[in-house]
Amino acid sequence: SRTVIDLDDLGATALIFSAASRTAGGTSRDSVDLLVSVTAMHHKLTVLHADGDFETIARITGQPVRRID
C-alpha cells in the first residue's frame, strides 16, 4: 500500500525537515528550530535568526531566512 503524507500537517512536515537535515549534515537540527521553520513556512514568513541551523534548513528547503547578528 502507498503512504500519503499531507504536507499541510505541521507534524509530518517537521519529520520531513528533520530527515532532510540529518541527510544533509549528518546531525539532526534542534527540534525547536524545526518547529519554528515549519511554522514560518506554513504562514509564508521569513525566519529572522542568529543560529546557523536555520541556514542549513534554508539550504535544504529553499525557505527564506535572514541572519540578524
Side-chain angles (χ1 to χ4, degrees), residues 2-25:
R2 185 183 228 207
T3 301
V4 176
I5 297 174
D6 180 3
L7 293 179
D8 288 333
D9 174 20
L10 294 180
T13 307
L15 290 173
I16 293 166
F17 270 83
S18 181
S21 66
R22 265 188 266 111
T23 299

Side-chain angles (χ1 to χ4, degrees), residues 2-3 7 11-12 14-15 17 28 32-33 35-36 38-40 46 50 53 55-58 60 62 64-65 67-68:
R2 185 183 228 207
T3 301
L7 293 179
L15 290 173
F17 270 83
S28 180
V32 173
D33 293 348
L35 184 58
V36 168
V38 167
T39 302
T46 298
D53 283 347
E55 294 295 331
T56 301
I57 294 167
I60 295 165
V65 296
R67 191 164 191 94
I68 57 167

Side-chain angles (χ1 to χ4, degrees), residues 45-67:
L45 300 171
T46 298
V47 174
L48 304 178
H49 70 89
D51 180 337
D53 283 347
F54 291 105
E55 294 295 331
T56 301
I57 294 167
R59 277 196 308 276
I60 295 165
T61 65
Q63 180 179 19
V65 296
R66 185 171 188 188
R67 191 164 191 94

